[in-house]
């Protein structure tokens, strides 16, 4: 069948299943779960695969799922990814009353859109012969609950904080040649086909002071909260030494500020990211931050334990993947403003790690309103939230696999990175080693 007819059949199938796709999105929005705990969301994903008759593996990187459109194929594999997890925002109207989790980053829509693409492509799967499409539900994109995840790392259940990183480490990406996904935005008129975003190192800090009666004998204590406060000020003083073009962002929080008000705080914890546009810039800023923290602990007679954890690599969309995505955005939505983001964005994602090893694009489609990661964040337009990304991704897959997957082969041949699935871990060993 002709490529345009295939795309029409896919889009008609997605339209015919519009209510079902939107309902999946709404249900995950109403049942938010934090990373590595996405049991409800992955359950919904598996239900759809069972209905469609798609074979899948589950429990990947704890809660991830990998499904195949076809069986026993030989050509390249094109992955369509959808994230599963929420953030914590207890005041959001849809927050989970127990955990405070809320879908304030739109990842629920990624899962619905990925499944929409699966439903569309399933209708034409016998006519796809250049390779295969793999649907990847990826857990834990939000790099949060560092203390809890550090525990999982200590237990050997994880090595990295992010779900895609864990999937790379455990071999889930071994047979994937190229990948795509769409992240929601709050720019309804734009479809974004490529962007650059920062990467980061994540950090866990424990200031260790000395307990004493806070009223009777504070001179016997060493105040870990004062050491932490001083460290915050020192970090702020570093900012003037950071170069604008490096897009460094350092944003600490205190996760434990003491134990009881009448005891000199002896255990104060912080979490933070050190973000930047390049690995070199991140490493440089991270050194300054660690030196400031250690100096402030010393100044207040405290000890300090700093645990640096691999965050995510800077995101750089593959130009070849971005082009196929753009062509399909223009074909399907010529009335939209189809853009490439020129400025480096301050958000990070574990798609950055995927982009270091295979050609991958993270497009951006609107459909949300108000600030991300805030209680005001909401889906605003179900067509944009779920249906538009489903159609663009499914049609992009058709182009990537047409003519014996000629586009995919060309994109893979042009991919210029020293890294791949086999040496991925050396990237982080080099970053964290110094
Ligand atoms: Zn997000």
């Amino acid at each position: 069948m002709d490529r345009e007819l295939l795309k029409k059949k896919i889009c008609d199938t997605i339209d015919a299943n519009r209510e079902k796709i939107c309902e999946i999105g709404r249900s995950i929005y109403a049942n938010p779960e934090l990373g590595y705990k996405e049991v409800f969301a992955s359950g919904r994903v598996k239900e759809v695969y069972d209905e469609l008759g798609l074979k899948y593996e589950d429990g990947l990187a704890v809660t991830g799922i990998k499904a195949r459109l076809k069986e026993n194929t030989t050509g390249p594999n094109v992955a369509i990814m959808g994230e599963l997890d929420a953030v914590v925002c207890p005041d959001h109207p849809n927050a989970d009353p127990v955990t405070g989790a809320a879908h304030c980053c739109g990842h629920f829509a990624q899962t619905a859109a990925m499944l929409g693409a699966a439903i569309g492509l399933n209708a034409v799967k016998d006519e796809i012969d250049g390779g295969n499409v793999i649907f990847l539900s990826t857990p834990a994109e939000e790099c949060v609950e560092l203390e809890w995840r550090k525990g999982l790392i200590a237990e050997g259940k994880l090595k990295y904080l992010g779900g895609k990183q864990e999937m790379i480490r455990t071999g889930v990406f071994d047979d994937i040649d190229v990948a795509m996904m769409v992240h929601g935005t709050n720019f309804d008129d734009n479809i974004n086909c490529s962007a650059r975003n920062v990467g980061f190192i994540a950090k866990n800090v424990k200031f260790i002071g000395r307990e004493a009666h806070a009223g009777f004998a504070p001179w016997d204590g060493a105040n870990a909260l004062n050491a932490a406060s001083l460290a915050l000020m020192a970090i702020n003083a570093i900012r003037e030494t950071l170069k604008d073009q490096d897009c460094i962002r350092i944003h600490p929080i205190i996760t434990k500020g003491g134990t009881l008000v009448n005891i000199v705080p002896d255990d104060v914890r912080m979490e933070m990211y050190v973000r930047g546009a390049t690995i070199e810039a991140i490493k440089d800023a991270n050194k300054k931050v660690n030196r400031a923290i250690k100096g402030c602990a010393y100044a207040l007679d405290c000890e300090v334990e700093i645990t640096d954890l691999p965050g995510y690599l800077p995101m750089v969309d593959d130009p070849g993947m971005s082009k196929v995505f753009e062509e399909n955005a223009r074909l399907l939505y010529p009335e939209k403003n189809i853009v490439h983001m020129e400025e480096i964005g301050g958000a990070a994602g574990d798609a950055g790690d995927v982009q270091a090893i295979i050609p991958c694009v993270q497009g951006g489609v609107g459909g949300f309103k108000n600030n991300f990661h805030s209680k005001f964040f909401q889906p605003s337009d179900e067509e944009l939230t779920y249906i538009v990304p489903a159609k663009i991704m499914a049609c992009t897959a058709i182009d990537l696999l047409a003519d014996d997957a000629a586009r995919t082969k060309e994109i893979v041949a042009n991919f210029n990175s020293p890294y791949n699935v086999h040496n991925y871990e050396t990237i982080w060993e080099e970053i964290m080693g110094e």
Side-chain angles (χ1 to χ4, degrees), residues 38 46 69 71 83 94 124 160 183 187 210 225 280 289 307 339 376 384:
E38 308 97 324
K46 287 186 269 187
L69 182 65
E71 289 165 49
E83 294 164 354
N94 268 42
V124 300
Y160 297 98
H183 199 294
F187 306 112
R210 205 165 44 250
L225 184 60
E280 282 316 308
V289 169
T307 311
V339 299
F376 306 108
L384 281 169

Side-chain angles (χ1 to χ4, degrees), residues 14-32:
I14 291 173
D15 284 331
N17 286 276
R18 189 180 194 284
E19 181 50 30
K20 181 195 176 92
I21 295 162
C22 294
E23 186 281 322
I24 294 165
R26 286 179 215 131
S27 78
I28 299 173
Y29 182 54
N31 291 275

Side-chain angles (χ1 to χ4, degrees), residues 108-411:
F108 63 99
Q110 293 186 22
T111 290
M114 181 200 72
L115 292 173
I119 290 168
L121 286 162
N122 197 48
V124 300
K125 70 171 165 187
D126 294 337
E127 285 145 282
I128 295 174
D129 50 17
N132 206 355
V133 184
I134 287 178
F135 304 100
L136 264 194
S137 291
T138 68
E141 188 281 322
E142 303 290 352
C143 188
V144 297
E145 297 191 296
L146 301 187
E147 193 88 40
W148 179 72
R149 289 189 197 175
K150 235 174 82 185
L152 295 185
I153 291 171
E155 288 169 38
K157 291 183 180 151
L158 296 180
K159 183 165 174 188
Y160 297 98
L161 297 167
K164 294 183 195 69
Q165 298 176 307
E166 277 296 288
M167 288 181 138
I168 296 169
R169 179 181 75 86
T170 55
V172 177
F173 277 87
D174 284 7
D175 61 350
I176 294 175
D177 295 275
V178 294
M180 74 181 104
M181 60 178 283
V182 168
H183 199 294
T185 72
N186 45 14
F187 306 112
D188 280 2
D189 294 331
N190 287 358
I191 296 178
N192 170 34
C193 304
S194 74
R196 283 182 63 197
N197 271 291
V198 297
F200 68 95
I201 288 175
K203 192 185 302 296
N204 216 277
V205 185
K206 181 179 180 183
F207 291 91
I208 305 159
R210 205 165 44 250
E211 295 165 287
H213 193 294
F216 179 67
W219 41 83
D220 288 334
N223 192 318
L225 184 60
N226 284 341
S229 319
L230 202 58
L232 292 179
M233 283 187 272
I235 289 167
N236 287 335
I238 289 169
R239 295 186 201 271
E240 73 169 356
T241 73
L242 306 172
K243 292 179 187 149
D244 296 354
Q245 67 265 30
D246 288 338
C247 299
I248 302 294
R249 290 208 169 92
I250 308 161
H251 43 96
I253 60 166
I254 292 181
T255 53
K256 182 178 180 193
T259 310
L260 278 182
V261 67
N262 57 4
I263 301 172
V264 170
D266 72 318
D267 178 359
V268 171
R269 314 269 177 117
M270 270 186 193
E271 287 183 2
M272 75 185 81
Y273 293 178
V274 179
R275 300 184 192 241
T278 64
I279 288 169
E280 282 316 308
I282 297 167
K283 279 164 68 173
D284 179 58
N286 192 53
K287 248 185 229 167
K288 293 179 179 175
V289 169
N290 284 353
R291 190 172 58 213
I293 292 170
K294 286 178 196 159
C296 294
Y298 174 76
L300 275 284
D301 193 22
C302 293
E303 303 284 324
V304 67
E305 289 170 4
I306 301 174
T307 311
D308 281 342
L309 298 160
Y312 300 156
L313 297 173
M315 271 200 265
V316 186
D317 286 309
D318 181 78
M321 287 297 288
S322 165
K323 187 150 189 297
V324 190
F325 185 91
E326 177 182 351
E327 286 163 12
N328 284 282
R330 284 190 194 283
L331 175 79
L332 296 169
Y333 301 101
E335 73 286 2
K336 290 273 178 201
N337 206 7
I338 314 283
V339 299
H340 295 264
M341 307 287 271
E342 301 297 335
E343 281 179 22
I344 296 175
D350 54 0
D353 292 62
V354 176
Q355 290 172 337
I357 59 160
I358 56 168
C360 168
V361 63
Q362 173 175 304
V365 175
F368 296 92
K369 62 179 181 188
N370 305 325
N371 278 338
F372 280 66
H373 293 198
S374 86
K375 65 182 171 188
F376 306 108
F377 180 81
Q378 274 179 16
S380 56
D381 176 335
E382 290 193 327
E383 185 69 20
L384 281 169
T385 311
Y386 307 118
I387 306 300
V388 171
K391 288 181 180 175
I392 297 175
M393 290 193 292
C395 293
T396 299
I398 292 296
D399 284 341
L400 286 166
L401 293 175
D403 304 327
D404 211 16
R407 287 297 284 279
T408 300
K409 288 173 185 167
E410 183 195 328
I411 288 167

